[in-house]
Each structure stands twice: as structure tokens, then as C-alpha cells.
Amino acid sequence: MASGDPTTRGTSETAVGTSDPGQQWSTVSNPTSRPWLRTTITAGVTVSLFLVCLLVLLGILGGRLDSHVILTAALAAIVPLFVIVPTFLWLDRFEAEPPGYLVFAFLWGALVAVVGAFFINTFGLQVLIDAQWSDPFETGAVYLAPLTEETLKGLGVLLIFLLRRKEFDGIIDGIVYAGLIGAGFAFSENILYLGQAITEYGDEGLQATFIVRGLMGPFGHPLFTSCIGIGIGIAVGVRSPLGKVVAVVTGWVCAMLLHGLWNLSALAGLSGFVQAYLTYQVPIFLTFIGFLVWLRRREGRLIGLYLSPYADAGWLSHGEVAMLSRLRTRAAARSWARSTGGSPARRSMRAFQDSASELALLRYRLVRGTAENGASDRERVLLDAITAHRRAFIGSPVT
């Protein structure tokens, strides 16, 4: 196949000549695999980092709160996650991100970013006090905390981008990872705030704090950090190095501004907070939700548009392209596969759909001239994977 050209169908497709679907599956290169040694070392370092931060976080909480207070606060802090996490997973339906990276994102926010922010904020405030700097907001919450926290959370999105550059497709990936990092950060931070409210004011303090942080502002941190995810996602599709830097920095600045405005409204008293909440926080949140809906629909349209040339060349059927561009028909296809071949066939259908979605988004970057090095080779790997996955649940190639 010509480099980057979907109009020529290859004659040496992986596993095409094999009659056993299980063997066909095993002979296809995993398009997302990494060398074993690199994977082991990376996993070991990551787990060690998370464990150290967990121990430090438990020490911070234990030094301020009783164990039963920590448990009560943690149970209350979990509640918003049942809304936040499904929202970002809902966005991630067309081209699902690897579960390991999603877990990494959440733990980065819940452990690394929280612990780092605690020490940097504490150190920064002490420096300001020693310098006898007059702080009009008394706590530095309006400028120091947004700078520190959004930088640390954004660093997690950047690390994921660097670790899986070939599969970081754009804005949706950036928002998903940023949102989960923000959700993790909010979870750990809420334990501290809720615990302090219980310690100082009892059940009334818990209820009031939960209303503000758990009901009125559960999407605060995920929304702030999503600005950075959007910036990195835009940078993926920009050719100019300067344009990439501008996109990332703009997203980072927007995240800090939104974070600072939220903290400023919290310092304005109950009436000031409610007024700010209704006048600009709710509209911003509704705009963000509308943007997510538009992004998901746009991704479906892109998948249909950029898979069509492969259907013209015979790699896919036009019916498959139509199925792949709509979530409803994708779900119906998985149900059909399960009814005909059980769970293995359903897994093959899901893998077929994921590989096809990734192929479409890769093709989108190739056409725009923003694809990474080796993108044409990866295109062929994905095409071979699609062929083998199809054979595993249907048993015959496209004709």
C-alpha cells in the first residue's frame, strides 16, 4: 500500500489466509503495544510514585482529622464522582482510551497533584509572609492556588500526551484525561474540606460544605483543567511549533482564570457566591456541556468522513462505515455480535470499532499534515487489525 494512501488495498494482510479466527486474532500486531521492558519500568515507577503520594496524603489528612472523620468525608466525597466520571466516559465512547491511562489520570489528580499542591502552596504562602507582602485576599487562593494546582494537573495531561503521542487524537482525548485528573483532585481535596467542616461545625458543616462543593460545584476542577486538555488537544492538530505553544499556554491561562474566579466568588460571602454562581458559573458550565455534546457528534461525523475512502478501496464496507459513525448503531452491532458468537465475538466487534475509530482520526491528521512520524506504518497496522478483528466475528473479508 502506498504510504498514507487508502485507495490501494494490500495483498499481504495479516492473518487473512488463516481459517481459525482465534489464530487470526493472535497473529495481528497489537497497535497499542510497547516493549515489555519499557512497560515494566514505567509501571513500576508510576506505582511507586502513587504509593508514596498516598502515604503522604494519608499523613496530611491524619494530622488534621480523626480517622472516623476521614472515612465520613471520603464517603461524601465519592458521591459527586458518580456523576463526573460517567460524564467524561460518555464523551469517550467513539474511540475509547486505554483503561490504564484513565486510571493513571484519576490517580494523578487524586494523589500527585494534590500532594504537590499542598506543599507548594504552603511554601509559597510562607515566602509571601516572610516577604511581608500584603495579600488583599488574605489566603492567596485567588492567584497562588490556581497557578499551582492547574500547573500540576495540566502536567498530568501533558505526560499522558507524551506517553501515548501516537494515540492522542485531539480535543476529546485532552478533555477526557483532564476531566478525570480534575475529578481525582476534587475527590481528595473534598475529603480535607468536608473533614474540616465536620470537625468545626458537625453535621451542619458537612451538609453546607457538601452542597457547595458536591452539588453546586462538582465539575469545578474538571472544568478548569479541561481548558488545558483543550489546549493540548488543539496543539495536536496544529502544524506550527509556535502555534502548539500558544494553544497549550492559552488553555493553561484560561484554566487558572476560571479557577481564580471560582475562588474569588467563594471569598465574597454567601450572597456574593450565589450571585456569581448564577450570573457566570452556571452559564459557563452549560456552555461546557453543550460543547461536549457538539464534540461527540463532530467525532462521529469525522469517523464517517475519513473512513469512506477505505470503504471505496475495499478495506471496509459502506454499511460498516455508516455503523461506525453512530453510537446507536455501534451498540446494535455489538449486541448482534454477541447474539451470534457470544462474548468473544462481542469483544472482537468492540476491538474492530475501536481500531476503525482510531484509523479515521489518524487519517484526519494525515490529511491535515499534523500526523506524527510513522503514522503511515501505523495506518497499515490498524488496517490489518481491522481485517483480523472482522474475521474473528464474521469469518470472511469484505467483498
Side-chain angles (χ1 to χ4, degrees):
M1 182 179 68
S3 176
D5 182 8
T7 60
T8 305
R9 178 159 183 166
T11 58
S12 58
E13 301 163 9
T14 305
V16 166
T18 311
S19 59
D20 178 17
Q23 185 178 357
Q24 293 162 3
W25 176 276
S26 64
T27 56
V28 180
S29 299
N30 181 353
T32 60
S33 64
R34 293 183 295 171
W36 178 86
L37 180 60
R38 179 186 173 192
T39 301
T40 302
I41 294 175
T42 302
V45 172
T46 301
V47 171
S48 299
L49 176 63
F50 286 157
L51 286 176
V52 170
C53 289
L54 175 61
L55 292 175
V56 174
L57 179 61
L58 291 175
I60 293 171
L61 295 174
R64 289 163 173 75
L65 307 171
D66 294 333
S67 58
H68 72 279
V69 172
I70 295 176
L71 179 59
T72 301
L75 291 174
I78 288 175
V79 174
L81 296 181
F82 288 104
V83 177
I84 300 171
V85 172
T87 297
F88 288 99
L89 295 183
W90 166 86
L91 180 64
D92 190 37
R93 293 284 295 280
F94 273 112
E95 197 261 320
E97 303 306 308
Y101 283 94
L102 298 176
V103 173
F104 173 90
F106 183 86
L107 293 179
W108 179 274
L111 298 174
V112 180
V114 163
V115 170
F118 174 82
F119 286 107
I120 295 175
N121 284 339
T122 301
F123 174 77
L125 287 174
Q126 188 60 51
V127 169
L128 295 177
I129 292 173
D130 293 342
Q132 297 182 343
W133 186 75
S134 178
D135 182 358
F137 303 109
E138 298 182 0
T139 63
V142 177
Y143 46 87
L144 181 58
L147 171 62
T148 300
E149 295 172 10
E150 296 311 321
T151 299
L152 289 170
K153 288 186 290 178
L155 181 60
V157 185
L158 183 61
L159 283 175
I160 293 172
F161 166 69
L162 295 176
L163 287 171
R164 61 182 308 262
R165 184 189 302 265
K166 294 181 179 180
E167 301 161 24
F168 202 105
D169 296 308
I171 296 176
I172 287 183
D173 287 3
I175 292 177
V176 169
Y177 288 126
L180 291 178
I181 289 174
F185 190 97
F187 169 71
S188 295
E189 190 180 59
N190 282 344
I191 295 176
L192 180 59
Y193 281 106
L194 291 168
Q196 290 175 338
I198 295 171
T199 301
E200 295 178 13
Y201 304 106
D203 291 342
E204 292 183 359
L206 171 62
Q207 294 171 6
T209 304
F210 180 79
I211 289 174
V212 172
R213 300 187 64 86
L215 298 181
M216 297 180 69
F219 281 90
H221 279 290
L223 173 58
F224 307 150
T225 312
S226 289
C227 293
I228 300 176
I230 292 171
I232 294 177
I234 292 174
V236 170
V238 175
R239 298 182 185 181
S240 166
L242 178 59
K244 293 179 182 291
V245 172
V246 170
V248 175
V249 171
T250 300
W252 175 57
V253 171
C254 289
M256 291 190 295
L257 288 175
L258 288 178
H259 195 158
L261 287 173
W262 172 270
N263 288 355
L264 179 62
S265 66
L267 297 176
L270 180 59
S271 60
F273 174 78
V274 172
Q275 183 178 4
Y277 182 79
L278 295 176
T279 55
Y280 75 86
Q281 291 174 14
V282 169
I284 288 176
F285 170 72
L286 294 177
T287 301
F288 177 65
I289 294 298
F291 181 58
L292 296 185
V293 173
W294 177 82
L295 278 176
R296 202 172 80 156
R297 292 178 178 175
R298 172 181 177 269
E299 189 170 40
R301 291 193 297 269
L302 288 177
I303 287 172
L305 176 63
Y306 286 95
L307 285 182
S308 292
Y310 297 105
D312 295 337
W315 289 101
L316 297 163
S317 71
H318 287 284
E320 286 174 331
V321 172
M323 176 271 289
L324 290 163
S325 62
R326 297 178 180 87
L327 290 174
R328 177 177 55 81
T329 51
R330 289 165 73 108
R334 293 193 297 270
S335 297
W336 169 82
R338 184 169 186 173
S339 67
T340 58
S343 296
R346 185 178 186 274
R347 288 193 296 269
S348 296
M349 176 62 78
R350 182 180 291 276
F352 170 80
Q353 292 174 346
D354 288 344
S355 295
S357 296
E358 187 174 344
L359 175 65
L361 298 176
L362 176 63
R363 185 67 193 169
Y364 170 68
R365 299 197 302 274
L366 281 167
V367 171
R368 290 172 57 88
T370 59
E372 64 282 355
N373 293 332
S376 295
D377 293 335
R378 182 167 182 77
E379 179 186 35
R380 180 51 188 263
V381 170
L382 288 169
L383 286 168
D384 289 344
I386 287 171
T387 299
H389 293 322
R390 182 195 296 107
R391 284 180 167 274
F393 65 76
I394 202 171
S396 63
V398 174
T399 57

